[in-house]
Amino acid sequence: MGVGMQITYLGFAGSAPIEAEAGMQLVRLERFREYLAGCHLTVEAIRNGLFHGKPASLLYDARLDLITRTDDLIAVEHCLNENLGIALRAAFDAAERRLEQALRRPRR
């Protein structure tokens, strides 16, 4: 059984291309399927007055909460970017790093 994902959109309506990109990124977490039960992806559109000192109409915040098979929650860092695809990829990069760290730690 694969890793399941729920997606929540805040501040904008989701779309099929966003879900397709998220699904492609989720494949990267399949190697952790013995450890992961699922994940929640939240993508938020943030209207911000300034970004790097210049006017920015929209930023995207992508973040993942990972649920382990033992019902533990691993919150992954927020990834903010003007480009939604970059924010999504960065969130899954961060998730991979967190999972690799979690699996290296000795169990108690």
Side-chain angles (χ1 to χ4, degrees), residues 3-102:
V3 177
M5 177 172 59
Q6 292 181 319
I7 304 174
T8 301
Y9 300 99
L10 301 174
F12 73 110
S15 69
I18 295 169
E19 291 182 18
E21 177 67 26
M24 287 189 302
Q25 295 301 318
L26 180 64
V27 170
R28 296 166 52 188
L29 302 184
E30 283 296 318
R31 65 188 171 114
F32 301 103
R33 69 182 167 273
E34 305 255 334
Y35 181 72
L36 273 184
C39 68
H40 297 157
L41 170 64
T42 302
V43 184
E44 183 174 5
I46 302 169
R47 283 157 186 39
N48 193 359
L50 293 175
F51 185 63
H52 294 293
K54 62 181 181 182
S57 58
L58 200 55
L59 297 173
Y60 294 98
D61 178 19
R63 56 195 179 268
L64 284 163
D65 290 320
L66 307 172
I67 300 95
T68 69
R69 297 221 176 260
T70 57
D71 290 327
D72 291 323
L73 180 70
I74 300 172
V76 180
E77 66 194 61
H78 291 237
C79 297
L80 190 67
N81 201 288
E82 294 173 317
N83 180 301
L84 177 55
I86 292 171
L88 282 174
R89 286 187 292 280
F92 281 89
D93 288 344
E96 280 187 299
R97 284 191 304 274
R98 284 295 307 270
L99 287 165
E100 288 166 352
Q101 288 171 352

